Amino acid sequence: QQILKWQSLPERIVLVRHGESEGNLDRNIYTTKGDAHLELTPTGLRQAMEAGRRLKDVVGDDNIFVVVSPFERTQQTLLGLYRGGFPQDQVQLVDVSSQIREQEFGNFQHIGAHELARAEEAIVGRFYYRRPNAESSADVFDRVSAFWDDLIGNVLPSQTSAEPHEKTDTCLVVTHGLALRLI
């Protein structure tokens, strides 16, 4: 049974991190704007469009299944990929998965909180340190592992068991840096 699932997986899984965001340029924006609402910068949009141009050649005529984080900057990155030439007409399904969202650092991060967290993190250990009202990297690992297990074990095999002309050849995952490192 497991061998059949592995044989039915797409030819490739492409992992893409969102383009440069407002939070990459200004850490203080987290004091007034929720993380899920941070947008791409003009540079981030250009990065996404360039990635779309490059990925167009990688996927060729493939049928594509897309999984994307619900955060604004990942949604904008996917749209930038399309604007850059990534073949939207070949996308069979787009799944928005909160399991691959960014690590939760709390609702708003007050000025100086990042530096304090880094000092405490050095004592506790980066992987296990949890800010107040937030997630540790270990928490993110748990949900990303559950996402990956479900994607590989259930979702993709069901996508590729369709008619041969509808088989998913490429899975594109658009998410965040830590989620990508944990995958």
Side-chain angles (χ1 to χ4, degrees), residues 1-64:
Q1 179 94 14
Q2 191 66 25
I3 292 173
L4 291 176
K5 282 186 179 182
W6 280 103
Q7 290 174 343
S8 65
L9 292 176
E11 291 294 317
R12 74 187 56 78
I13 297 175
V14 178
L15 305 174
V16 174
R17 180 194 178 270
H18 62 79
E20 179 185 77
S21 75
E22 296 171 307
N24 297 129
L25 290 185
D26 177 11
R27 188 171 302 170
N28 290 334
I29 197 166
Y30 292 96
T31 64
T32 59
K33 193 171 188 178
D35 193 14
H37 301 291
L38 297 182
E39 298 181 46
L40 291 182
T41 64
T43 297
L45 180 57
R46 283 192 302 276
Q47 291 168 338
M49 291 171 62
E50 175 62 18
R53 185 188 65 75
R54 291 179 180 191
L55 287 173
K56 178 182 179 182
D57 295 332
V58 171
V59 300
D61 294 331
D62 287 2
N63 289 317
I64 303 163

Side-chain angles (χ1 to χ4, degrees), residues 45 48-49 74-84 88:
L45 180 57
M49 291 171 62
T74 54
Q75 300 285 317
Q76 291 175 336
T77 297
L78 179 58
L79 294 176
L81 292 171
Y82 293 151
R83 284 184 55 193
Q88 185 175 4

Side-chain angles (χ1 to χ4, degrees), residues 68-71 95-102 104 143 147:
V68 62
S69 160
F71 280 31
D95 179 44
V96 178
S97 175
S98 64
Q99 287 181 302
I100 58 170
R101 72 188 181 278
E102 180 63 283
E104 300 287 343
R143 66 175 159 81
F147 160 80

Side-chain angles (χ1 to χ4, degrees), residues 63-65 88 90-94 159 165-168:
N63 289 317
I64 303 163
F65 174 73
Q88 185 175 4
Q90 293 168 222
V91 174
Q92 296 175 315
L93 180 68
V94 175
Q159 289 297 311
H165 69 281
E166 296 177 3
K167 179 182 178 296
T168 298

Side-chain angles (χ1 to χ4, degrees), residues 112-125:
H114 181 76
E115 290 74 19
L116 175 62
R118 288 289 184 203
E120 290 179 345
E121 190 177 80
I123 297 166
V124 175

